[in-house]
């Protein structure tokens, strides 16, 4: 009987340690844009780690107009929730990283799907662009978020601004 309790205690300790080790990190990125690559400045998040139930996570999400062109300047156009290829992830500015709870992860994923499945023309350069998308994720993560008009088309400067609003991040400004 004592042997059974020892084995049970070892199994519980192992399970407890495995759950404590589970963690998903969320990183807030900006991309400067490149005329040569045909990419506009952009901001997005990446998430990587393991949920408490052992589910691995490695994904990223950003929000954009479905098609680039002059219509984007006139306001609402069709939208897309996009994922970045690995080659773009390595060329970004990484502003700060936070650890997520499983509940925060699920809330972020729900928000991503809500934006993805929004009906009609949901992308607006001035009121619902990649900055607003990442800002709403930041709010889920408990960050103070503002959208100064002068930064609405400057993802890197905007994330630097968010870093200053949230000194607990200890994030350095990205040049």
């Amino acid at each position: 009987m004592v042997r059974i309790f020892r084995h049970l205690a070892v199994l519980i300790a192992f399970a407890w340690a495995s759950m404590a080790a589970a963690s998903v990190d969320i990183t807030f990125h900006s991309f400067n844009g490149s005329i040569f690559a045909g990419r506009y400045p952009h901001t997005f998040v990446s998430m990587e780690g393991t949920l408490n139930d052992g589910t691995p996570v490695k994904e990223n999400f950003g929000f954009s107009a479905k098609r680039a062109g002059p219509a984007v300047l006139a306001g609402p156009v069709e939208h897309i929730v996009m994922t970045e290829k690995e080659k773009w992830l390595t060329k970004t500015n990484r502003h700060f990283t936070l650890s997520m709870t499983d509940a925060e992860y699920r809330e972020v994923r729900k928000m991503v799907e809500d934006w993805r499945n929004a009906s009609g023309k949901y992308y607006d350069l001035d009121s619902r662009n990649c900055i607003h998308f990442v800002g709403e994720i930041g709010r889920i993560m408990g960050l103070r978020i503002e959208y100064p008009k002068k930064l609405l088309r400057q993802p890197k400067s905007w994330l630097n601004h968010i870093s200053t609003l949230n000194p607990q991040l200890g994030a350095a400004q990205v040049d």
Side-chain angles (χ1 to χ4, degrees):
M1 189 70 146
V2 171
R3 182 182 286 182
I4 292 172
F5 283 122
R6 270 192 222 147
H7 288 292
L8 186 58
V10 168
L11 286 173
I12 290 170
F14 179 73
W16 186 267
S18 296
M19 286 191 296
S23 174
V24 175
D25 289 337
I26 183 168
T27 301
F28 290 70
H29 301 257
S30 69
F31 179 72
N32 298 332
S34 168
I35 295 169
F36 300 112
R39 296 286 311 258
Y40 295 101
H42 185 55
T43 186
F44 64 98
V45 297
S46 64
M47 298 180 288
E48 189 168 355
T50 306
L51 297 173
N52 286 334
D53 67 3
T55 302
V57 173
K58 185 173 173 63
E59 53 200 2
N60 68 78
F61 300 103
F63 186 72
S64 186
K66 197 167 193 174
R67 291 172 209 70
V72 170
L73 298 172
V77 296
E78 291 181 336
H79 63 280
I80 185 171
V81 170
M82 56 191 291
T83 58
E84 297 293 340
K85 293 180 179 166
E86 194 65 33
K87 75 174 189 173
W88 293 112
L89 287 174
T90 61
K91 297 178 181 183
T92 66
N93 305 303
R94 292 172 177 251
H95 289 263
F96 49 87
T97 300
L98 300 167
S99 290
M100 308 176 81
T101 65
D102 281 19
E104 288 167 332
Y105 171 80
R106 285 190 294 277
E107 192 173 347
V108 166
R109 285 306 312 266
K110 180 183 180 323
M111 190 222 92
V112 167
E113 292 310 310
D114 288 348
W115 282 54
R116 181 190 319 269
N117 298 322
S119 61
K121 297 176 178 179
Y122 200 65
Y123 181 90
D124 187 286
L125 194 55
D126 293 320
S127 64
R128 205 169 24 257
N129 66 21
C130 62
I131 286 173
H132 299 94
F133 178 81
V134 169
E136 291 309 302
I137 293 171
R139 281 197 174 113
I140 291 169
M141 296 304 301
L143 299 178
R144 181 175 168 211
I145 302 294
E146 294 178 350
Y147 303 107
K149 187 174 175 111
K150 69 180 182 177
L151 298 180
L152 288 180
R153 298 179 188 183
Q154 299 177 36
K156 179 174 68 171
S157 296
W158 178 75
L159 278 171
N160 280 336
H161 175 70
I162 297 306
S163 294
T164 63
L165 291 177
N166 296 277
Q168 74 277 12
L169 296 172
Q173 297 291 292
V174 173
D175 292 329

